């Protein structure tokens, strides 16, 4: 999963896709160095190189390494949110509409970062949508293991019995709809900016591909999680 994140992000950079949502800045001691892309993407990453990295936690038997976790990075992100009347008054054309949001909190001793697998089904049920109705998913990649755990939970009857009282699962998120231009494992995780970055990336993607619905989800410290349903209003 970590390798695919880097590969997708590298391809998006090469194609100029991510440049749509990046503002270039001059940096360095003399402000002569142009920062115009995320510089933690490893286009040369490989499975053998990732396999050689040592566990960062629960040494020496853990599975989380510097290669399959989101790197803590410097970064900033801005998302303008306003109602339709205000946007019209300012002659602004919105990228997308926020249809609904869901926030949950779980017992962190159960499984700290499983929250997206609870928030996503609750939001879709309230909006009367199926997994197949969502055209793109942007889910925060805290760790590859966390992502894989959440994806597995969404299609696990035992998990749904425990949290929802039913063996009817939400299903499996198609790989070709999930974090299609890479995620935080490749792009980095600047605290406080990741949520905005996910929303921006998804809004641009919906418009670029002429798609209708997109869903953002992310886990957070203390067993918190949230998700947001976006709709492309330019269709």
């Amino acid at each position: 999963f970590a390798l695919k994140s880097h590969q997708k992000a590298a391809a998006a950079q090469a194609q100029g896709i991510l440049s749509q949502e990046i503002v270039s800045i001059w940096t360095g001691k003399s402000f002569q160095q142009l920062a115009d892309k995320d510089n933690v993407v490893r286009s040369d990453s490989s499975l053998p190189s990732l396999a050689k990295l040592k566990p960062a936690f629960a040494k020496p038997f853990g599975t989380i390494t510097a290669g399959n976790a989101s790197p803590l990075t410097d970064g900033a992100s801005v998302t303008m949110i306003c109602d339709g009347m205000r946007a019209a008054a300012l002659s602004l054309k919105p990228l997308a509409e926020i249809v609904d949001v869901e926030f949950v909190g779980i017992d962190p001793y159960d499984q700290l970062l499983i929250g997206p697998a609870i928030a996503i089904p609750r939001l879709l049920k309230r909006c009367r949508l199926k997994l197949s109705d969502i055209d793109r998913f942007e889910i925060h990649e805290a760790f590859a293991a966390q992502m894989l755990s959440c994806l597995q939970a969404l299609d696990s009857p035992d998990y749904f019995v425990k949290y929802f009282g039913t063996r009817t699962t939400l299903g499996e998120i198609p790989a070709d709809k999930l974090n299609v231009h890479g995620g935080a494992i490749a792009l980095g995780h600047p605290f406080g900016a990741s949520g905005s970055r996910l929303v921006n990336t998804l809004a641009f993607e919906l418009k670029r591909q002429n798609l209708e619905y997109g869903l953002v989800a992310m886990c957070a410290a203390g067993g918190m999680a949230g998700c947001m349903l976006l709709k492309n209003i330019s269709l």
Side-chain angles (χ1 to χ4, degrees):
F1 189 92
L3 176 62
K4 289 180 180 178
S5 183
H6 281 286
Q7 290 174 336
K8 289 186 286 188
Q13 281 187 338
Q15 297 167 24
I17 293 174
L18 297 181
S19 62
Q20 283 187 289
E21 55 191 86
I22 292 178
V23 177
S24 301
I25 61 171
W26 292 98
T27 185
K29 291 184 177 180
S30 301
F31 296 99
Q32 294 180 335
Q33 182 179 352
L34 182 65
D36 59 356
K37 64 181 180 181
D38 295 297
N39 60 7
V40 291
V41 178
R42 301 182 182 91
S43 59
D44 60 346
S45 187
S46 67
L47 283 178
S49 64
L50 288 170
K52 292 179 182 178
L53 298 174
K54 302 296 183 181
F57 307 103
K59 301 175 183 179
F61 305 111
T63 59
I64 296 175
T65 70
N68 59 29
S70 58
L72 300 182
T73 54
D74 291 328
S77 180
V78 175
T79 305
M80 177 179 281
I81 301 175
C82 63
D83 63 32
M85 292 182 62
R86 185 59 176 167
L90 296 172
S91 299
L92 298 174
K93 188 175 182 180
L95 280 172
E97 172 190 2
I98 298 174
V99 179
D100 203 351
V101 296
E102 175 76 15
F103 290 95
V104 302
I106 62 169
D107 183 349
Y109 289 100
D110 184 13
Q111 189 174 161
L112 181 65
L113 303 178
I114 200 68
I118 298 175
I120 293 172
R122 288 176 59 169
L123 180 63
L124 292 182
K125 181 179 180 179
R126 188 166 64 245
C127 294
R128 299 182 181 180
L129 294 173
K130 303 184 297 294
L131 202 67
S132 58
D133 294 320
I134 307 302
D135 300 300
R136 288 289 187 270
F137 295 83
E138 284 291 334
I139 301 179
H140 173 55
E141 299 173 357
F143 309 96
Q146 167 264 331
M147 280 291 299
L148 294 171
S149 178
C150 286
L151 295 175
Q152 184 182 53
L154 290 173
D155 198 27
S156 167
D158 291 340
Y159 176 86
F160 269 70
V161 166
K162 179 178 180 179
Y163 286 100
F164 301 105
T166 177
R167 294 189 68 82
T168 302
T169 71
L170 195 62
E172 183 178 352
I173 295 179
D176 61 354
K177 291 184 176 182
L178 173 64
N179 298 359
V180 296
H181 301 307
I185 290 176
L187 299 171
H189 177 27
F191 279 3
S194 287
S196 175
R197 199 279 298 170
L198 289 166
V199 170
N200 294 346
T201 296
L202 182 59
F204 276 110
E205 174 68 7
L206 292 178
K207 183 177 181 179
R208 183 167 45 246
Q209 300 296 339
N210 203 33
L211 301 172
E212 185 174 15
Y213 285 114
L215 189 145
V216 170
M218 65 187 307
C219 55
M224 304 298 292
C227 66
M228 175 184 290
L229 180 65
L230 295 184
K231 183 177 182 180
N232 182 359
I233 57 177
S234 64
L235 295 178

